[in-house]
Amino acid sequence: MGVPLAFANAGSQRWIQVAVNRRPDLLLSSLRAAGAISESTTIDWASPLEVDACCEYRDATALKKAGIEALPVRPLNDFWPARGPVWDAIGRTTEGVAIFVEAKAHIPEAASPGTRASPTSLELISRSLEEARRWYAPKASASWTGTFYQYANRLAHHYFLREVNKVPSALVFVYLTHDPDMRGPASESEWHGAIRLLHAALGLPAQLEQRGVFDVFLDVRRLQDGG
């Protein structure tokens, strides 16, 4: 357990910290509105917690934080090299569903560059991304190692948990509006346009809820009193 630290100064990192630690009610209501959880479901958040220095986690540690003690079908190192995605928030629902969160405060933040993996790691990453792409979009041919790589690798890890290992899990993208520092979107509709473009570039269908992937929208103005 770490020493409590101040929240991040700005951006999606700050606001997801505020949401988890100070206004989990608002985060829950947004998840419910998106259909990610039911009206009666609550979430036990494991990160980023103030009592744990707002630490974020990756790889096997992230799985343990989500209550995933074992992978019954395929080990993580067979799918992805070490130092995989760092999750903005991790939780577990009252129904035992692991929740992995990626948060964004402005559109350029979603347009991540391609992977910089070493040749050895790139071989495994490319193979796993292609495997995941076939599950999400069987007819797609777009490369997932270029632009929007960060989004793609989150999708790949969700596929690995939910489809390969049959672990009950949900992937949640939290899109923040009205961030005063990042000057991000002022409406959900702006985010919807960016998401449509992102999906088109990766060859994805417009909606991924049937695959357990949810877009959640959260107004920063509602979080400011908690920060």
Side-chain angles (χ1 to χ4, degrees), residues 149-224:
Y149 167 69
Q150 187 186 70
Y151 188 88
N153 69 39
R154 269 58 173 177
L155 289 178
H157 278 72
H158 176 65
Y159 153 79
F160 171 74
L161 292 174
R162 186 181 177 99
E163 176 64 11
V164 175
N165 281 287
K166 308 303 181 185
V167 172
S169 64
L171 173 59
V172 175
F173 291 97
V174 173
Y175 296 105
L176 298 153
T177 61
H178 297 96
D179 186 312
D181 299 305
M182 297 295 104
R183 298 180 181 178
S187 68
E188 292 183 18
S189 62
E190 289 183 60
W191 273 121
H192 282 300
I195 295 164
R196 284 196 299 270
L197 178 60
L198 190 159
H199 280 213
L202 296 177
L204 292 164
Q207 304 294 330
L208 293 174
E209 287 91 342
Q210 291 185 339
R211 297 298 196 194
V213 180
F214 299 91
D215 296 331
V216 171
F217 302 92
L218 190 55
D219 191 331
V220 164
R221 295 173 300 182
R222 301 182 70 196
L223 294 171
Q224 287 176 320

